[in-house]
Amino acid sequence: MSRVVRTRRAGRAASHRDERARQLVVRADPRNVESARRALGAYLTPAADRFVRSNFAVPRLRLRDHRVRVGGLVQQPLHLDVEELRSLPQRTVTVTTECAGNGRTDLSPLPPGEPWQGGAVSTARWTGVALPLLLERAGIRPGAMEVLATGADSGPVTLGHAAYARSVPLATALDPDTIVALEMNGRPLLAAHGAPVRLVVPGWYGMASVKWLSQLEVVGERFAGYFQSHRYVYREPGKAPEPVTRMRVKSMFTAPLDGSRVEMGPLRVGGFAWSGTGRIARVEVAFAGGEEWIEARLAADGESHAWRGWELIWTPPWRGRHVLRCRATDDAGNVQPDAGRWNELGYGANGVQSIAVYAS
Ligand SMILES: Nc1nc2c(c(=O)[nH]1)N[C@H]1C(S)=C(S)[C@@H](COP(=O)(O)O)O[C@H]1N2
Ligand SMILES: [Mo]
């Protein structure tokens, strides 16, 4: 009996040796998993395949009784349970979220932190209450500067004990696409992704999208808690630290798979590109070393916070190994660099991605 269960589990999460695995365990406890590349081929990532990034264990919450407090610099503090949140006007936004540590293993020397290879990025359709609507109901008082979101999870950090808490600037909190989400892809949130309610901040690296949301506080100064000023900061020798905010422009291959064998005929090469600093304007692919880049065809420019598909047809010119590279540019003129910029904690690694295939 238990053997059957074990086999099933292995088929879904399991190790990177499993050819059919859709998730790869990066750390077992607290559970952190990334999506296998074969699970990222679809525009919307199924909930079961999505990466999970949690700094602490999933908090045990009584979903029915859970409440979100809205307080701080407001006229009328709110105390909303899930039913009340559900009864407010709902909004749905499709958002690509990348963990700031995604691709950390591309950096050398390897910085500390979970060694994400490239599957800590996903796209989901989130439904919930627009954050500005809640803030409007509470009534923002003068002097407001940021909105601080606190999760129900906490644990030891280098400086003692901390809850997971992050702030966003007031302007970001007032963006109608910043959502206090109750659903992912049309279903109630899974525990790993923040049930019963989480924040979703489009365009920003994932750390801003606080899971298991318990409190929203309007504050009149810059929040400087552990996960704001000791983590999710770009630290480089000789430079002033800078906060990690919006996602840097990046692209990845979803087909063919790295290391795979391909036929000698025409072949579809494709993937996704995203940016938190503009809309994707161009994706180019290089089929060999050197500087010859070929423009890929972009999917229709659809939802502004979601990744954009790209593809082209390629015929391997000879039998043997080929290394393919992809590079994205956004409409603000940001270009994916050849290599991600090294920093002490290994964030924002958006260097050009490559795959090797063997044509035979
Ligand atoms: N409460 C809480 N929220 C959190 C985190 C966390 O550890 N605790 N991790 C953040 C980080 S770093 C990322 S990348 C995203 C991951 O969201 P997911 O696990 O739903 O994919 O959640 C963010 N929200
Ligand atoms: Mo993250």
Side-chain angles (χ1 to χ4, degrees):
M1 282 286 281
S2 68
R3 196 176 283 167
V4 174
V5 173
R6 241 188 255 146
T7 316
R8 267 205 207 128
R9 278 216 188 113
R12 199 164 68 77
S15 78
H16 57 285
R17 293 231 181 97
D18 185 336
E19 288 285 303
R20 289 154 311 161
R22 303 189 57 88
Q23 288 181 320
L24 309 172
V25 176
V26 176
R27 181 170 172 150
D29 188 15
R31 186 172 166 76
N32 281 271
V33 301
E34 66 182 292
S35 306
R37 197 52 55 92
R38 66 177 61 78
L40 290 177
Y43 177 70
L44 283 187
T45 315
D49 294 344
R50 181 189 172 88
F51 79 97
V52 176
R53 198 294 176 254
S54 298
N55 286 270
F56 306 120
V58 173
R60 288 183 192 197
L61 300 178
R62 292 165 51 132
L63 304 191
R64 290 249 177 77
D65 303 340
H66 184 74
R67 280 165 182 264
V68 178
R69 279 171 19 95
V70 184
L73 289 175
V74 297
Q75 261 125 26
Q76 172 68 54
L78 309 175
H79 225 123
L80 301 161
D81 66 18
V82 173
E83 273 319 302
E84 288 166 308
L85 287 167
R86 225 184 274 287
S87 69
L88 294 170
Q90 303 287 296
R91 186 174 173 89
T92 296
V93 183
T94 306
V95 178
T96 294
T97 307
E98 182 181 19
C99 177
N102 193 37
R104 181 173 283 134
T105 54
D106 293 347
L107 299 175
S108 178
L110 179 65
E114 274 61 36
W116 302 104
Q117 286 183 324
V121 58
S122 284
T123 298
R125 207 155 267 160
W126 303 97
T127 302
V129 184
L131 179 54
L133 185 91
L134 288 185
L135 296 174
E136 202 176 281
R137 297 230 165 172
I140 300 173
R141 292 213 315 253
M145 190 170 175
E146 296 189 332
V147 173
L148 171 60
T150 305
D153 54 331
S154 66
V157 295
T158 25
L159 305 172
H161 189 96
Y164 189 85
R166 293 269 324 171
S167 70
V168 288
L170 191 61
T172 305
L174 289 175
D175 183 326
D177 289 341
T178 298
I179 300 284
V180 173
L182 299 161
E183 290 184 1
M184 177 166 90
N185 298 343
R187 309 291 303 273
L189 296 185
L190 298 177
H193 300 298
V197 53
R198 78 177 297 172
L199 194 62
V200 174
V201 183
W204 284 53
Y205 280 114
M207 75 277 143
S209 295
V210 175
K211 303 193 279 190
W212 311 294
L213 185 65
S214 63
Q215 192 170 312
L216 291 163
E217 198 184 348
V218 180
V219 294
E221 61 207 26
R222 287 223 166 82
F223 176 62
Y226 181 81
F227 293 100
Q228 195 90 17
S229 45
H230 293 265
R231 286 289 178 272
Y232 309 113
V233 172
Y234 294 115
R235 286 184 200 285
E236 291 178 40
K239 283 186 67 181
E242 274 190 45
V244 175
T245 59
R246 301 190 148 268
M247 298 185 293
R248 292 173 168 171
V249 64
K250 193 165 176 181
S251 61
M252 69 173 181
F253 291 98
T254 56
L257 292 175
D258 187 25
S260 59
R261 193 189 68 78
V262 300
E263 303 285 325
M264 281 302 294
L267 167 77
R268 178 187 172 272
V269 171
F272 291 108
W274 63 95
S275 170
T277 59
R279 306 288 287 250
I280 292 299
R282 185 162 64 241
V283 174
E284 301 155 289
V285 180
F287 293 100
E291 278 307 308
E292 198 188 320
W293 294 86
I294 294 168
E295 202 157 329
R297 199 172 60 77
L298 293 177
D301 191 8
E303 297 166 293
S304 61
H305 305 301
W307 56 23
R308 197 161 173 192
W310 57 267
E311 66 176 9
L312 41 61
I313 302 297
W314 174 65
T315 305
W318 55 74
R319 290 174 207 282
R321 177 187 294 147
H322 298 273
V323 173
L324 280 50
R325 293 173 290 158
C326 62
R327 166 172 91 184
T329 301
D330 71 20
D331 66 0
N334 299 297
V335 187
Q336 212 180 324
D338 289 330
R341 198 181 164 86
W342 189 90
N343 57 96
E344 284 173 27
L345 296 174
Y347 297 126
N350 69 331
V352 162
Q353 305 286 294
S354 69
I355 55 169
V357 295
Y358 193 85
S360 65

